[in-house]
Amino acid sequence: MKKIFIPFLLAILFSCSSDSDSDGTQANIYEQELAGSWAASFCEAEDATSCVDQNLVLNLDGTGSVANVWNDGETWSSELEWSATSSTITVTTAIDNATDTASYVLNDNEMTMNFDGQVIVYTRM
């Protein structure tokens, strides 16, 4: 009887899964609130004549993308990885592996980020 019971018990144990079983990436509550598409228009802090329209996509799985179009017609885009806490967001762009951390405030469909003094106001699309 033991020969039948033990394999049966092991089969049950290993066939059951919980909701926490996944690929290890589950968005926290702050990431869930920030996920989506965002747009902003701003000028560079170092050069007020260099302005950009930026689209930022933050996916629930911690990936996303950023696309910039400057007022002189230059463009730049990159895939990215991101994470967030209650007051900071960290973004790493894939194209140059640059990591930026900013404080943010979320107010309905508006997110204000502060990157070392450069304040950018995004609107949810």
Side-chain angles (χ1 to χ4, degrees), residues 10-114:
L10 290 174
I12 291 174
L13 288 174
F14 289 110
S15 67
C16 295
S17 66
S18 69
D19 290 339
S20 64
D21 290 344
S22 64
D23 62 0
T25 56
Q26 183 175 3
N28 65 39
I29 189 168
Y30 310 110
E31 292 164 346
Q32 291 173 15
E33 292 174 347
L34 294 176
S37 297
W38 299 89
S41 295
F42 57 95
C43 296
E44 299 288 335
E46 307 85 38
D47 181 3
T49 63
S50 179
C51 300
V52 63
D53 291 326
Q54 183 176 82
N55 289 326
L56 179 64
V57 177
L58 304 174
N59 299 319
L60 277 174
D61 66 357
T63 64
S65 62
V66 59
N68 293 349
V69 178
W70 277 270
N71 56 340
D72 66 0
E74 185 180 344
T75 62
W76 180 88
S77 63
S78 178
E79 299 299 311
L80 59 83
E81 292 183 356
W82 73 283
S83 63
T85 68
S86 62
S87 61
T88 61
I89 182 169
T90 301
V91 177
T92 302
T93 53
I95 200 166
D96 56 7
N97 203 33
T99 299
D100 289 309
T101 299
S103 61
Y104 76 90
V105 175
L106 184 62
N107 188 10
D108 293 325
N109 290 321
E110 188 175 276
M111 174 175 49
T112 303
M113 286 191 198
N114 187 334

